[in-house]
Amino acid sequence: MNEPLALIAAGGTGGHMFPAQALAEMLLAEGWRVKLSTDDRGARYAGGFPDQVTRSIVKSATTARGGLTGKLMAPFKIAAGVSAARAEFRKDRPSVVIGFGGYPT
């Protein structure tokens, strides 16, 4: 039987990613499979995650930055990220999802 899968959703800054990394390490030690779902910004902090953690980069955005074009494109990026995350949920069927904040959560 496969080990249970924990999906960790975190992104944006080290303040979200470093606690997520600590949990990932603990879960791996307990025999879980772990997947990280993050955005481009969070991926910059994912280098310290153990190699056994699979990674998924989802689109995310905010209407608080990016000028007029960024504000207009944000809903489309968010919709694309939600759609991709839903597809991955259906494929992966995680046993648990743990969110640590940031836009991709």
Side-chain angles (χ1 to χ4, degrees):
M1 181 169 193
N2 285 343
E3 298 87 5
L5 173 65
L7 175 66
I8 297 177
T13 67
H16 300 293
M17 297 297 288
F18 298 142
Q21 178 183 335
L23 178 63
E25 292 168 356
M26 187 192 79
L27 289 169
L28 288 169
E30 294 291 324
W32 286 73
R33 293 178 297 132
V34 179
K35 183 173 185 175
L36 171 67
S37 181
T38 190
D39 61 357
D40 287 328
R41 286 180 32 193
R44 294 185 304 216
Y45 297 95
F49 277 74
D51 291 338
Q52 303 95 316
V53 175
T54 58
R55 293 163 179 84
S56 173
I57 308 295
V58 296
K59 292 184 185 284
S60 67
T62 177
T63 57
R65 289 187 223 104
L68 181 59
T69 302
K71 291 177 188 331
L72 293 173
M73 293 304 298
F76 298 103
K77 286 183 179 179
I78 293 168
V82 169
S83 177
R86 282 184 177 161
E88 289 194 28
F89 267 58
R90 284 192 291 275
K91 180 184 76 167
D92 294 335
R93 300 282 186 198
S95 300
V96 64
V97 178
I98 307 109
F100 281 87
Y103 298 127
T105 300

